[in-house]
């Protein structure tokens, strides 16, 4: 059987003219690391589920991407992360939402799928489950990036001067 | 939003997605990622992970729609993904893209915006790593 993997790190208004060479190199390196993390699992005979979790963890740990460590801010200056996993062989699924302190939300989604009777857990209940499962928890500072914070300040300024929620610039929306 | 899809040597498919959401979103807003069948989907035919304006992926049931088109219309992965990403989502006003893999190791990476951070190694070992449209 062939093995295959694909991943994304976000989409939007990504123009070559608006990104400097160093930033572009960093993004490409982050994508390459995440791809290798998952593909290595597959080459070693590991499961597709292990592979996608490995790739997504690599992206969650990279502050360049809007997930985990690089998450954007809500209107009230907090972070609310979400994640989901699905095992196609059993059509089993798990997801989590409203997380503020779980290092790798994707691993919590997997725990919900494999070790709870539910499909989705949210907010305090999800974080309580993460603690019971012994997942790595982090303080808010771990998830802070200046770039995301500045994006929030700019957006709040735009909204305060009469801007509409739906008109948020693409490059600011997803960090 | 980040995500990955994979096919292993036992023929099993899986998908995973993770996100910080949208800048300045309302506290408590839930996007497409944790809505199974919207931003994340996997079954015996394909696995899909989405990125973009989540509300539209929910309204299009994007991930499940791609799988249903393969199953019921006999479309290829590429055709099914194109129908959802290039037709269904823009009709609703949604922007973004998906990564998908099918049970034969074919990979699709379509998007309807300026670019998408993406990378893949398909079932024939062909590698892709790109950001912008046209790469």
């Amino acid at each position: 059987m062939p093995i295959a993997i694909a991943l994304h790190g976000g989409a939007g208004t990504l123009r070559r003219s608006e990104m400097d060479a160093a930033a572009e190199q960093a993004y490409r390196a982050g994508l390459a690391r995440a791809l290798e993390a998952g593909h290595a699992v597959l080459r070693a005979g590991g499961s597709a589920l292990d592979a996608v979790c490995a790739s997504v963890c690599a992206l969650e740990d990279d502050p360049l991407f809007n997930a985990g460590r690089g998450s954007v801010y809500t209107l009230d200056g907090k972070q609310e992360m979400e994640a989901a996993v699905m095992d196609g062989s059993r059509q089993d699924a798990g997801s989590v939402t409203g997380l503020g302190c779980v290092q790798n939300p994707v691993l919590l989604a997997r725990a919900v799928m494999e070790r709870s009777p539910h499909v989705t857990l949210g907010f305090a209940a999800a974080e309580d489950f993460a603690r019971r499962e012994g997942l790595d928890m982090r303080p808010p500072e771990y998830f802070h990036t200046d770039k995301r914070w500045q994006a929030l300040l700019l957006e709040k300024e735009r909204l305060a001067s009469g801007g509409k929620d739906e008109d948020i610039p693409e490059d600011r929306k997803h960090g | 939003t980040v995500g990955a899809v994979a096919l292993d040597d036992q023929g099993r498919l899986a998908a995973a997605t993770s996100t910080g959401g949208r800048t300045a979103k309302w506290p408590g807003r839930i996007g497409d990622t944790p809505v199974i069948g919207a931003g994340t989907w996997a079954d015996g035919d394909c696995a899909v992970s989405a990125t973009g304006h989540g509300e539209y992926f929910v309204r299009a049931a994007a991930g499940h729609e791609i799988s249903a088109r393969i199953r019921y219309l006999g479309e290829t992965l590429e055709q099914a993904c194109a129908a959802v990403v290039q037709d269904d989502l823009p009709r609703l006003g949604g922007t973004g893209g998906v990564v998908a893999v099918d049970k034969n190791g074919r990979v699709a990476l379509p998007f309807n915006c300026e670019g998408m951070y993406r990378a893949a190694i398909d079932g024939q070992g062909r590698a892709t790593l790109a950001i912008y449209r046209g790469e």
Side-chain angles (χ1 to χ4, degrees):
Chain A
M1 283 293 293
I3 59 171
I5 188 165
L7 60 85
H8 60 80
T13 308
L14 311 174
R15 296 191 184 94
R16 204 182 289 268
S17 59
E18 294 173 2
M19 192 183 310
D20 65 45
E24 182 175 328
Q25 189 175 18
Y27 277 107
R28 290 183 188 276
L31 291 171
R33 277 194 300 273
L35 186 68
E36 173 57 20
H39 199 250
V41 171
L42 296 173
R43 290 197 308 271
S47 71
L49 186 61
D50 285 340
V52 295
C53 287
S55 284
V56 169
C57 280
L59 292 164
E60 287 177 336
D61 291 342
D62 188 333
L64 288 176
F65 300 100
N66 178 20
R69 196 171 189 184
S71 292
V72 298
Y73 285 92
T74 64
L75 197 56
D76 64 356
K78 295 178 180 171
Q79 287 153 313
E80 290 183 353
M81 293 165 264
E82 306 177 328
V85 296
M86 198 157 179
D87 178 352
S89 67
R90 298 184 301 135
Q91 208 162 317
D92 203 358
S95 71
V96 288
T97 187
L99 307 178
C101 57
V102 179
Q103 179 176 334
N104 292 112
V106 71
L107 298 182
L108 182 57
R110 182 172 181 172
V112 169
M113 178 178 78
E114 294 180 331
R115 296 190 290 279
S116 91
H118 307 300
V119 170
T120 302
L121 283 178
F123 299 88
E127 292 184 341
D128 285 347
F129 184 63
R131 289 186 190 92
R132 291 206 301 276
E133 287 293 312
L135 296 184
D136 289 332
M137 311 295 277
R138 297 286 182 171
E141 307 85 78
Y142 172 81
F143 300 98
H144 172 83
T145 55
D146 283 337
K147 185 179 170 186
R148 308 298 193 217
W149 184 252
Q150 292 305 319
L152 173 66
L153 297 181
L154 281 172
E155 180 57 12
K156 288 180 80 166
E157 194 175 294
R158 190 186 68 82
L159 291 171
S161 60
K164 292 181 179 174
D165 182 61
E166 62 269 26
D167 292 334
I168 180 173
E170 275 281 332
D171 56 344
R172 191 181 304 160
K173 185 163 58 183
H174 302 294
Chain B
T1 302
V2 308
V5 294
L7 170 71
D8 65 29
D9 63 6
Q10 305 293 308
R12 296 170 298 196
L13 291 154
T17 315
S18 182
T19 187
R22 298 179 64 190
T23 299
K25 72 175 184 177
W26 289 15
R29 174 263 195 183
I30 295 169
D32 64 335
T33 295
V35 178
I36 300 300
T40 308
W41 181 259
D43 56 22
D45 292 314
C46 68
V48 180
S49 177
T51 177
H53 197 152
E55 277 75 1
Y56 296 96
F57 285 81
V58 174
R59 290 165 58 189
H64 184 267
E65 182 73 4
I66 289 168
S67 174
R69 295 187 72 100
I70 293 170
R71 193 163 57 253
Y72 299 129
L73 297 179
E75 292 184 343
T76 65
L77 182 76
E78 293 78 7
Q79 289 170 331
C81 287
V84 171
V85 174
Q86 312 300 355
D87 297 336
D88 293 355
L89 287 167
R91 188 167 58 246
L92 296 173
T95 58
V98 305
V99 298
V101 61
D102 70 11
K103 60 187 176 186
N104 300 309
R106 283 189 293 257
V107 162
L109 312 165
F111 53 96
N112 63 23
C113 45
E114 295 284 342
M116 181 170 78
Y117 297 104
R118 59 201 187 275
I121 299 175
D122 72 10
Q124 294 187 311
R126 290 177 299 216
T128 302
L129 197 155
I131 299 175
Y132 311 107
R133 180 172 293 285
E135 281 191 88

